[in-house]
Amino acid sequence: MAQPRLKVLPCEYAEAVAFVKQHHRHHKPPCGHKFSLCVADEEEKVRAVVMVGRPVARGNDDGMTLEVTRLASDGCPNACSCLYGAAWRATKALGYGRLITYILDTEPGTTLKAAGWKCLGQRGGGSWNCPSRPRVDKHPTQKKLLFECR
């Protein structure tokens, strides 16, 4: 079976949110973004989306760094690595010098490596719940791997 030919396209926030709600395995869509992109096949069916915004961790929010806050696909081959590469090119074109993302430490990072990203190692994880501000964790609390593109 031939793999679909994919085309990178701009994606409105509402369209990206709807796709993430339907296809992301463990997170809800982020509350905002700087930009989103999608890949579509020959029939113009959206197969994956990437949402890019300001870094979540304030230590990374230096004005020159953006973060891939969500990437979701319907399982289409090569869609994720295509979007990671396109997100970096768009980030550079906007004048930023660094793009980061986190994945679960149980995920292999194959698509990131295929797109030329570098793993910087394991980070954080854990719960945001504390006595002064109780929360219910609705996301994985395990360790994460930090990847970057420069």
Side-chain angles (χ1 to χ4, degrees), residues 31-63:
C31 294
H33 75 163
K34 288 281 189 180
F35 67 89
S36 291
L37 301 170
C38 68
V39 290
D41 62 19
E42 302 95 338
E43 286 95 42
E44 298 186 16
K45 178 184 177 194
V46 173
R47 306 300 300 267
V49 300
V50 64
M51 300 179 78
V52 178
R54 289 177 52 199
V56 175
R58 66 179 177 228
N60 288 322
D61 195 6
D62 59 7

Side-chain angles (χ1 to χ4, degrees), residues 57-114:
R58 66 179 177 228
N60 288 322
D61 195 6
D62 59 7
M64 293 303 295
T65 301
L66 290 181
E67 180 176 339
V68 170
T69 53
R70 291 298 179 279
L71 188 135
S73 99
D74 66 2
C76 178
N78 303 317
C80 293
S81 54
C82 179
L83 281 177
Y84 277 126
W88 170 235
R89 292 189 299 276
T91 297
K92 276 196 310 189
L94 289 169
Y96 293 92
R98 182 178 183 226
L99 183 60
I100 62 172
T101 195
Y102 295 87
I103 64 171
L104 301 177
D105 66 354
T106 54
E107 297 173 318
T110 305
T111 56
L112 286 156
K113 293 170 189 170

